[in-house]
């Protein structure tokens, strides 16, 4: 190995089901996980089920307007309560096996012959609660008995990237509306997707539209390479759109110094945030197998842009193409992770050094497992 190159993880980290099981248990089931857009569950009874590690998590809005999260498991015999990915119930969740019934806040409220069992504590035998916190207009859940600090686990990623936590405030993400959502089924390990997002060494090769809008990306240095750095739009570029044409008005509270700049933030283990002057793009990854990852991508705009039906297609198309180009590259790499040529891993060039930091973080998480 020369002084310029850095070793990567070995190929088995991307193909070994045992390692993936460790990641599920010691990363996704212990860290804060961005599960659902809060606004998607607008009314009492609205729910969504989300796979977090090895667990199905049920998130629902109760009659008081609060969001709650539970393991999607009946306390009686373990049947799954909700088999649908999303929906709405009028007043309660009922297990389809033996009809144990739970209020929207998780309390056990009815079951066949329950009145003949007065010793049954309806709170104790309610649905198993999961920690939930709302931030940026999304519900983040944590399955650990004692969750880690949200500030250390999540908010610190913003500080490390932008220099200050307040750097994200001007985008008022929690006030934005979904103008477009696209769900991608990527046949690749989740770590390949993170590594791809963190670097831009590939940008000149596979992202012609993006490098036209952000010319500095053609040099191979990602926006995440420097703390506080935002990639500037090209001189002739009017907006973050597929053809560089004008987008929408700058978000109302955004500082002038962030106009005509793009910022990217990786929040481990499964969130990417892309900040541009007139909208925000937020990716959530749901690793479902060692070689398969569902990615849900939201394009977020000022409420009036969405409410008035303005055309968002040109700004959506830019990053949709970037996503497709990136995911195709990740899928091209996945089969080779099992090759003897990659048994000892590959290499990183200096502009990818922060991926090396991600690898160190991952190994530390796995080695510190209980």
């Amino acid at each position: 190995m020369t002084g310029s190159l850095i070793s990567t993880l070995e190929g088995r980290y991307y193909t070994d089901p045992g390692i993936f099981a460790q990641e599920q248990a010691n990363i996704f089931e212990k860290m804060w996980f961005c599960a659902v857009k809060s606004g998607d569950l607008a009314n009492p009874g609205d729910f969504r089920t989300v796979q977090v590690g090895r667990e199905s998590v049920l998130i629902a809005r109760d009659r008081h307007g609060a969001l709650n999260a539970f393991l999607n498991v009946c306390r009686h015999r373990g049947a799954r309560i909700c088999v649908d990915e999303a929906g709405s119930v009028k007043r309660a969740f009922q297990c389809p096996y033996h009809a144990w019934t739970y209020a929207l806040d998780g309390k056990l409220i009815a079951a066949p012959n329950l009145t003949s069992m007065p010793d049954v504590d309806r709170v104790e035998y309610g649905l198993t609660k999961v920690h939930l916190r709302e931030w940026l207009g999304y519900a983040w859940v944590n399955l650990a008995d004692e969750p880690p600090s949200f500030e250390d686990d999540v908010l610190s990623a913003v500080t490390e990237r932008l220099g200050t936590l307040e750097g994200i405030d001007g985008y008022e993400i929690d006030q934005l509306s979904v103008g477009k959502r696209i769900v991608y089924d990527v046949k690749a390990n989740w770590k390949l997707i993170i590594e791809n997002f963190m670097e831009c060494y590939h940008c000149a090769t596979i992202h012609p539209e993006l490098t036209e809008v952000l010319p500095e990306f053609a040099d191979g240095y990602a926006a995440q390479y420097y703390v506080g750095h935002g990639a500037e739009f090209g001189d002739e570029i009017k907006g973050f759109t597929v053809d560089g044409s004008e987008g929408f008005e700058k978000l109302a509270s955004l500082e002038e110094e962030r106009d005509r700049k793009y910022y990217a933030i990786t929040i481990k283990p499964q969130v990417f945030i892309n900040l541009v002057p007139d909208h925000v793009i937020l990716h959530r990854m749901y690793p479902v197998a060692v070689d398969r990852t569902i990615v849900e991508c939201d394009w977020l705009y000022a409420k009036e842009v969405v409410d008035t039906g303005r055309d968002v297609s040109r700004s959506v198309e830019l990053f949709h193409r970037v996503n497709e180009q990136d995911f195709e590259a990740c899928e091209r790499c996945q089969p080779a992770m099992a090759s003897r040529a990659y048994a000892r891993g590959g290499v990183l060039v200096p502009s990818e050094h922060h991926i090396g930091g991600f690898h160190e973080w991952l190994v530390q998480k796995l080695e510190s497992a209980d």
Side-chain angles (χ1 to χ4, degrees):
M1 188 70 62
T2 68
S4 296
L5 300 178
I6 305 168
S7 297
T8 70
L9 294 172
E10 298 171 355
R12 63 190 177 91
Y13 280 87
Y14 306 88
T15 62
D16 186 338
I19 291 177
F20 182 68
Q22 283 185 283
E23 292 168 346
Q24 288 179 303
N26 297 297
I27 294 177
F28 298 108
E29 294 174 21
K30 289 187 176 180
M31 297 186 68
W32 287 96
F33 189 99
C34 187
V36 61
K37 184 87 170 69
S38 300
D40 290 348
L41 308 179
N43 304 305
D46 289 351
F47 72 86
R48 180 166 174 184
T49 57
V50 174
Q51 192 70 23
V52 181
R54 298 161 299 179
E55 296 281 4
S56 175
V57 176
L58 169 63
I59 303 169
R61 194 169 295 280
D62 67 25
R63 299 179 66 182
H64 300 289
L67 284 178
N68 297 283
F70 315 95
L71 298 184
N72 188 18
V73 177
C74 181
R75 295 297 305 281
H76 172 223
R77 295 274 296 282
R80 181 160 290 191
I81 299 292
C82 292
V83 295
D84 294 330
E85 182 178 319
S88 186
V89 296
K90 288 185 177 180
R91 307 181 70 87
F93 295 104
Q94 187 175 82
C95 176
Y97 192 6
H98 294 93
W100 277 39
T101 305
Y102 303 89
L104 298 176
D105 63 1
K107 181 181 178 181
L108 176 65
I109 56 175
N113 306 319
L114 185 60
T115 55
S116 65
M117 298 178 280
D119 59 319
V120 175
D121 187 320
R122 299 190 182 204
V123 174
E124 181 182 353
Y125 285 93
L127 296 175
T128 303
K129 281 210 166 188
V130 170
H131 301 282
L132 183 148
R133 178 161 173 175
E134 292 184 76
W135 182 61
L136 300 182
Y138 288 81
W140 302 65
V141 299
N142 187 279
L143 273 57
D145 291 336
E146 296 184 9
S149 163
F150 193 84
E151 288 69 24
D152 293 344
D153 226 22
V154 177
L155 303 186
S156 63
V158 177
T159 304
E160 291 170 6
R161 171 64 192 94
L162 300 181
T164 65
L165 181 59
E166 292 72 24
I168 203 171
D169 292 345
Y171 296 89
E172 296 187 325
I173 299 176
D174 59 339
Q175 302 299 314
L176 303 182
S177 298
V178 178
K180 182 71 173 181
R181 173 175 293 159
I182 299 178
V183 179
Y184 305 86
D185 192 336
V186 187
K187 297 176 180 62
N189 184 271
W190 67 280
K191 296 185 293 298
L192 289 175
I193 299 173
I194 283 193
E195 292 162 6
N196 172 278
F197 183 73
M198 291 181 72
E199 55 93 358
C200 210
Y201 190 48
H202 68 278
C203 287
T205 307
I206 70 172
H207 293 322
E209 299 88 356
L210 183 64
T211 52
E212 185 71 22
V213 174
L214 304 172
E216 68 181 72
F217 275 14
D219 294 329
Y221 290 94
Q224 298 178 79
Y225 190 81
Y226 304 105
V227 175
H229 176 71
E232 295 191 14
F233 292 5
D235 292 339
E236 304 301 319
I237 298 300
K238 295 181 179 179
F240 197 75
T241 58
V242 69
D243 56 3
S245 58
E246 192 169 351
F248 303 108
E249 297 82 5
K250 178 169 66 70
L251 295 171
S253 298
L254 190 65
E255 303 91 333
E256 195 64 35
E257 66 187 39
R258 298 193 185 277
D259 195 13
R260 294 183 56 78
K261 291 182 180 179
Y262 163 86
Y263 298 86
I265 305 170
T266 301
I267 300 180
K268 297 188 289 286
Q270 45 88 238
V271 174
F272 308 145
I273 302 176
N274 307 271
L275 307 169
V276 293
D278 63 340
H279 66 281
V280 171
I281 307 158
L282 192 144
H283 298 68
R284 285 166 286 150
M285 292 195 301
Y286 302 91
V288 294
V290 70
D291 57 356
R292 181 177 173 225
T293 308
I294 303 299
V295 182
E296 192 165 288
C297 187
D298 289 345
W299 280 260
L300 307 170
Y301 299 86
K303 189 174 184 296
E304 56 269 22
V305 169
V306 176
D307 288 349
T308 56
R310 297 177 69 179
D311 183 9
V312 301
S313 61
R314 286 175 299 158
S315 57
V316 168
E317 182 61 24
L318 174 57
F319 227 86
H320 174 53
R321 290 192 191 182
V322 170
N323 284 338
E324 290 190 317
Q325 292 156 354
D326 281 340
F327 299 154
E328 181 184 358
C330 293
E331 290 182 340
R332 189 179 302 120
C333 290
Q334 181 63 39
M337 296 297 101
S339 169
R340 67 188 66 187
Y342 212 80
R344 296 183 180 179
V347 295
L348 303 170
V349 300
S351 65
E352 301 171 302
H353 76 280
H354 46 308
I355 297 177
F358 167 63
H359 291 166
E360 292 175 3
W361 169 87
L362 177 88
V363 171
Q364 183 181 36
K365 285 289 184 182
L366 298 182
E367 290 181 346
S368 63
D370 294 338

